[in-house]
Amino acid sequence: GLRGLACCNLGESFENSASVTVGYSDAVTGARQIRLLGLSGVYTQMLDETRPVMRGLSAPFGLSYVPGQWLESIQIAKGPSSVVNGLEAITGQINMEHRKPTDEKPLFVNLFVDNHLMTEANIASSLQLNEKWSTVTMGHYSSMPMGHDGNGDGCKGEPTSRKFNLTNRWLYYDQSGMQIRVGIRALTDDRTGGMTSFKKEMRNDVNAMVSNNVWGSNINNKGVNAYVKVGVPLNAENTRNIAFVADYTYHQIDSYFGVKNYNGRQNSVFANLIFQETIGDEHRINAGIRNQFDLFDETLEDTYITSFGQLWNTTDYNLDRRENAVGIYGEYTYTLGEKFSAVAGVSVDYNNLHGLLVAPRANIKYAFTDDIIFRAS
C-alpha cells in the first residue's frame, strides 16, 4: 500500500493507516508526530531493519526522511514489545524494511508533481553482482517551493522545503548461511516557515526584519548514517546463530525562529551482540548485550524584543549532554501455529543519567478467528 502511492514519505503514508495516527505538531517546522495507543512522539520506537533510528535531534523530522517508494514493508508492534532493541518502545515499535539488494528490479523511477508544484523524484537500482554480492542504491529529491496560505492569514500553512536523500546498501551472502549487510546514507533538508512575506535573505538584517514586523524561520538539517550487520550460523541447520549490529548516526541542525537561534549536533552509536537459538517450530531464545551512546551539543540564543521594537537581552543556553546505556537481555518466544504466541523477556540496563533500569516485559496473542484476536501485554 505504501509503495502504491504516487508520492509521499512515511509520515504522509501513515495517514492511510488505521493503526497509526500522524499529524503536524506545528506549522512552523512542518514536523509530523506519530500517535500510537494514545501516546505520541518518542513513546514509539522507530526501527530501520531492527536498528533504532529517528532518535534525538532527528526525531521530529525523521518520518519525512523515509520515502514511501523506498520501502518494501513495515511491521507494527503495539505495546512495549521486544527488549532486544532497547527500552524505548512504550506504546509500540514500527520497523521499516527497505528495498533489498536482491530485488529483481534493476531500475525503478518514480516522478510526481502536483498543482502546487510539490515535486518528488525517486530512483532505485538493485544489482546482483555475483552469487555472493548484491547492492541497491536509492535516491530521493522533493521540494515544496510555494508557500501555501489556505486561510489567508498571511502565514504559511506549512514551510517551503527542499530535501535530498541518498543511500547505498550491500549484501554479502555465503552458502554456509553467513551474511554481511552494510550501508550508508546521507541527507539534507532545508525548510523555511513563517509569514508569506518573509524571505531568507531578510535574516541578514535582523533589525530591519523586526522594525518591519516580519517573522520567519529556517531549519537546516544534515545527517549521515552508516551501519554493519553480521550474521554467523553456529550449526549446519542454522537453528543456532550469532549476530552483531553496529550503527553510527551524525545529525546537525542549524536553525532560527524569528530572532532566536538554535543549533544542535548529535553523535550516536548503537551496538548489539545477539545470540539466537530456535528449538523446533515452537521455541526461540534470544540473549545478548547492547550499548547505546549519545552525545548532544546544543545551544540556544534566546533574544527578546521590547515593546518599542528593539532587540534586547540575548541569553545563551548550553544544553550539552552525554548519555550512555549498557544492557544485557534475554527473551523467550513460544509459538503454536498461527493461533497462539507468547513472548517473555527482561532487560537490565545501566544508564549514566538514570542509573539501573530493570524492564520485564511479556506479550501474549491468541487468534480466535482471523477477525477476532486477543492481545495482552
Side-chain angles (χ1 to χ4, degrees):
L2 297 178
R3 292 172 61 180
L5 297 171
C7 69
C8 305
N9 55 55
L10 182 62
E12 295 164 328
S13 299
F14 271 135
E15 292 176 357
N16 298 320
S17 170
S19 299
V20 181
T21 302
V22 178
Y24 282 112
S25 58
D26 58 74
V28 174
T29 64
R32 290 176 179 264
Q33 196 172 55
I34 274 187
R35 183 177 295 273
L36 185 62
L37 298 185
L39 293 179
S40 57
V42 296
Y43 294 101
T44 303
Q45 186 181 35
M46 300 297 299
L47 303 174
D48 183 342
E49 298 179 354
T50 71
R51 295 174 294 109
V53 292
M54 302 183 196
R55 304 176 62 261
L57 302 186
S58 66
F61 312 101
L63 293 175
S64 63
Y65 298 155
V66 183
Q69 300 291 343
W70 284 18
L71 293 175
E72 181 183 79
S73 63
I74 59 172
Q75 294 87 41
I76 299 173
K78 296 184 179 181
S81 192
S82 173
V83 297
V84 173
N85 297 302
L87 308 180
E88 296 178 351
I90 303 301
T91 55
Q93 285 178 334
I94 298 177
N95 182 55
M96 305 171 290
E97 293 286 338
H98 285 73
R99 290 176 182 264
K100 299 295 186 285
T102 52
D103 195 336
E104 295 181 355
K105 291 183 180 179
L107 181 63
F108 169 85
V109 179
N110 163 255
L111 301 173
F112 172 85
V113 181
D114 71 4
N115 61 324
H116 295 292
L117 297 184
M118 173 185 170
T119 305
E120 288 198 13
N122 295 285
I123 185 170
S125 176
S126 298
L127 298 175
Q128 188 79 36
L129 303 180
N130 53 45
E131 293 182 354
K132 295 184 177 181
W133 285 98
S134 55
T135 182
V136 60
T137 301
M138 295 178 286
H140 170 82
Y141 166 81
S142 63
S143 68
M144 179 78 75
M146 298 177 61
H148 181 63
D149 180 14
N151 59 3
D153 64 353
C155 295
K156 298 174 184 177
E158 59 182 295
T160 58
S161 63
R162 177 178 294 177
K163 293 192 288 287
F164 293 93
N165 208 328
L166 181 67
T167 184
N168 180 227
R169 300 178 176 218
W170 290 79
L171 168 63
Y172 172 86
Y173 185 81
D174 190 77
Q175 291 182 350
S176 65
M178 185 189 80
Q179 57 177 287
I180 302 173
R181 297 177 183 268
V182 296
I184 188 168
R185 175 183 178 185
L187 66 90
T188 66
D189 172 28
D190 187 85
R191 52 184 73 199
T192 302
M195 300 174 68
T196 54
S197 58
F198 174 75
K199 308 297 180 184
K200 286 171 60 174
E201 54 269 19
M202 293 181 179
R203 192 52 163 66
N204 297 328
D205 189 347
V206 176
N207 288 305
M209 192 174 75
V210 172
S211 61
N212 292 323
N213 201 27
V214 177
W215 192 94
S217 70
N218 178 258
I219 305 173
N220 187 272
N221 284 279
K222 298 177 182 178
V224 176
N225 173 260
Y227 72 89
V228 58
K229 302 169 72 175
V230 181
V232 180
L234 301 180
N235 59 7
E237 298 80 17
N238 199 14
T239 58
R240 183 184 302 118
N241 54 71
I242 190 169
F244 175 72
V245 179
D247 183 279
Y248 169 75
T249 298
Y250 172 80
H251 195 87
Q252 172 182 328
I253 296 181
D254 297 301
S255 64
Y256 57 80
F257 302 88
V259 297
K260 304 174 189 289
N261 297 310
Y262 167 79
N263 300 295
R265 309 288 183 272
Q266 174 186 352
N267 286 274
S268 295
V269 177
F270 174 79
N272 198 1
L273 183 65
I274 311 165
F275 170 81
Q276 178 176 288
E277 180 163 8
T278 304
I279 305 171
D281 296 328
E282 299 176 349
H283 310 278
R284 187 175 76 240
I285 298 172
N286 285 320
I289 181 172
R290 66 168 175 268
N291 178 240
Q292 176 72 61
F293 174 80
D294 298 302
L295 181 64
F296 293 95
D297 178 11
E298 297 179 90
T299 57
L300 171 66
E301 297 177 9
D302 198 2
T303 303
Y304 297 91
I305 302 174
T306 67
S307 57
F308 301 102
Q310 301 295 321
L311 298 178
W312 176 73
N313 191 26
T314 297
T315 304
D316 293 336
Y317 296 93
N318 187 317
L319 308 174
D320 296 355
R321 68 187 185 280
R322 180 181 67 87
E323 185 171 358
N324 190 50
V326 180
I328 58 174
Y329 58 87
E331 187 173 79
Y332 168 72
T333 303
Y334 176 74
T335 305
L336 188 61
E338 297 183 358
K339 279 283 186 182
F340 178 80
S341 65
V343 181
V346 63
S347 178
V348 180
D349 290 63
Y350 181 79
N351 185 293
N352 67 306
L353 298 180
H354 307 292
L356 189 67
L357 304 172
V358 181
R361 293 180 177 179
N363 293 272
I364 299 173
K365 184 186 83 168
Y366 184 83
F368 294 98
T369 68
D370 290 341
D371 301 318
I372 302 176
I373 299 174
F374 170 79
R375 300 176 187 267
S377 64

